[in-house]
């Protein structure tokens, strides 16, 4: 039932299914593989902000663009622990630490991050990091420290990638994903829509993810958050139907994955988000900030969970110790 041999034509056909039928099909697969009442609640924390040498056209943290993001050096382990405890108390079961790095370097900062991973995992939270490129050895060290998942997005198709980022290649991304997989860390990888890509690029990205030797355990679907000062500041908002098409298609072709309705929720109504859950999304980022941009607050999300009768998913539900 889990397939890694999808063709571009098959994925395109699914993506282009009439919308209500697509939602129904996504919802059907969702119910076969998941409890549709459960939504995973994750908290993000930017542990090192801004000043990044990369040129990702969407990113407010790239040093070369003039945005309002203030550079902040790597946080202290104590401060991170404090934030993780707060996240746990507010109902999150996954805690994801992000750093505006091109890649991990073997230095004191990495040792500090390993300390954060140890600390956060001791709280019983699923620990995730997103730190840029990793070698196999660095992935092993993170695993030993207790890392549960690693986020590294493909962002878009291989064909469109060069229009968005020039300072690294698609192959670099795929190599890091392989290093993460080989270290037996859960893989989180998805992308962004609304960057000026074609439908073919969205389908191409889903094809790459769904034909990896193993599907990612998590697939974040982000709507671009246009930030002033970045090259994509003037991109038009994507329609919610496009978010739904991405979510439902990801759900159908990677049925076991957690599909995360990620960046962009601040510009969606409750009803629009409900359709995303219906189509197969079962994870969100909670807390009033993503890494540097706003996200719905706890009051709004608590109300949404109540109205939609959703409940937060417990931590480590799918964990089989390796
Ligand atoms: N520096 C590391 C990297 O690029 O892999 C980790 C942090 S980076 C901010 C993580 C992801 O956030 C990116 O891959 C991208 O998918 C997402 N992201 C960044 N800025 C965004 C924006 N303005 N809108 C939507 N998603 C964004
Ligand atoms: C993901 O796919 N989305 C998150 C997380 N993984 C790291 C990041 C979204 C960032 C949105 C822009 C910001 O807040 O800086
Ligand atoms: Fe740097 Fe990551 Fe932003 Fe790209 S997405 S500029 S690598 S922080």
């Amino acid at each position: 039932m889990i397939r890694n041999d999808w063709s571009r034509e098959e994925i395109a056909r699914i993506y282009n299914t009439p919308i209500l039928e697509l939602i129904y099909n996504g919802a059907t697969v969702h119910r076969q593989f998941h409890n549709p009442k459960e939504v995973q609640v994750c908290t993000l924390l930017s542990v090192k902000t801004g000043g990044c040498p990369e040129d990702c056209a969407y990113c407010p943290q790239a040093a070369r663009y003039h945005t309002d993001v203030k550079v902040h050096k790597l946080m202290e382990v104590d401060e991170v622990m404090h934030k993780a405890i707060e996240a746990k108390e507010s109902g999150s079961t996954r805690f994801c630490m992000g750093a505006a790095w091109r890649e991990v370097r073997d230095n004191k900062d990495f040792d500090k991050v390993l300390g954060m991973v140890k600390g956060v995992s001791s709280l019983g939270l699923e620990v995730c990091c997103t730190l840029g490129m990793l070698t196999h050895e660095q992935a092993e060290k993170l695993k030993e420290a207790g890392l549960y998942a690693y986020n590294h997005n493909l962002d878009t198709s291989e064909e469109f990638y060069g229009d968005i980022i020039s300072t690294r290649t698609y192959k670099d991304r795929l190599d890091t994903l392989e290093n993460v997989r080989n270290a037996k860390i859960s893989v989180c990888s998805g992308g962004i829509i609304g960057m000026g890509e074609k439908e073919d690029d969205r389908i191409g990205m889903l094809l790459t993810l769904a034909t990896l030797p193993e599907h990612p355990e998590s697939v974040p679907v982000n709507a671009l958050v246009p930030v002033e000062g970045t090259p994509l500041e003037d991109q038009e908002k994507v329609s919610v139907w496009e978010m739904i098409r991405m979510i439902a298609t990801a759900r159908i072709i990677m049925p076991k994955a957690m599909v995360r309705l990620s960046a962009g929720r601040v510009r969606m109504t409750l009803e629009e988000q409900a359709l995303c859950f219906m189509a197969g999304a079962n994870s969100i980022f909670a807390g009033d900030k993503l890494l540097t941009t706003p996200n719905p607050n706890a009051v709004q999300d608590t109300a949404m969970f109540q109205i939609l009768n959703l409940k937060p998913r417990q931590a480590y539900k799918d964990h089989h110790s390796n």
Side-chain angles (χ1 to χ4, degrees), residues 225-241:
V225 182
V227 178
E228 212 183 310
T230 63
L232 299 183
E233 63 183 0
D234 291 327
Q235 279 296 317
E236 252 179 58
K237 179 177 182 275
V238 287
S239 134
V240 69
W241 306 114

Side-chain angles (χ1 to χ4, degrees), residues 44 52 54 56-61 97-103 129-133 150-155 161 165 168 173 190-193 195 220 222-227 230 232 262-264 290-293:
L44 273 172
C52 183
E54 300 282 81
C56 312
Y58 48 76
C59 188
Q61 303 199 66
M97 299 180 276
W101 286 335
R102 175 172 202 270
E103 76 255 305
C129 279
T130 181
L131 314 168
M133 292 186 253
Y150 195 78
N151 165 255
H152 201 64
N153 290 338
L154 290 180
D155 282 336
Y161 201 74
I165 300 149
R168 58 169 188 257
R173 289 312 257 188
I192 309 178
I193 65 168
M195 303 191 292
N222 295 277
L224 175 76
V225 182
V227 178
T230 63
L232 299 183
S262 303
L290 291 165
L291 290 172
T292 66
T293 64

Side-chain angles (χ1 to χ4, degrees), residues 26-51:
T28 306
V29 174
H30 192 179
R31 277 151 186 76
Q32 284 161 7
F33 287 84
H34 302 269
N35 175 349
K37 281 194 178 151
E38 273 181 10
V39 171
Q40 177 189 45
V41 182
C42 316
T43 293
L44 273 172
L45 177 68
S46 183
V47 295
K48 189 267 166 181
T49 309

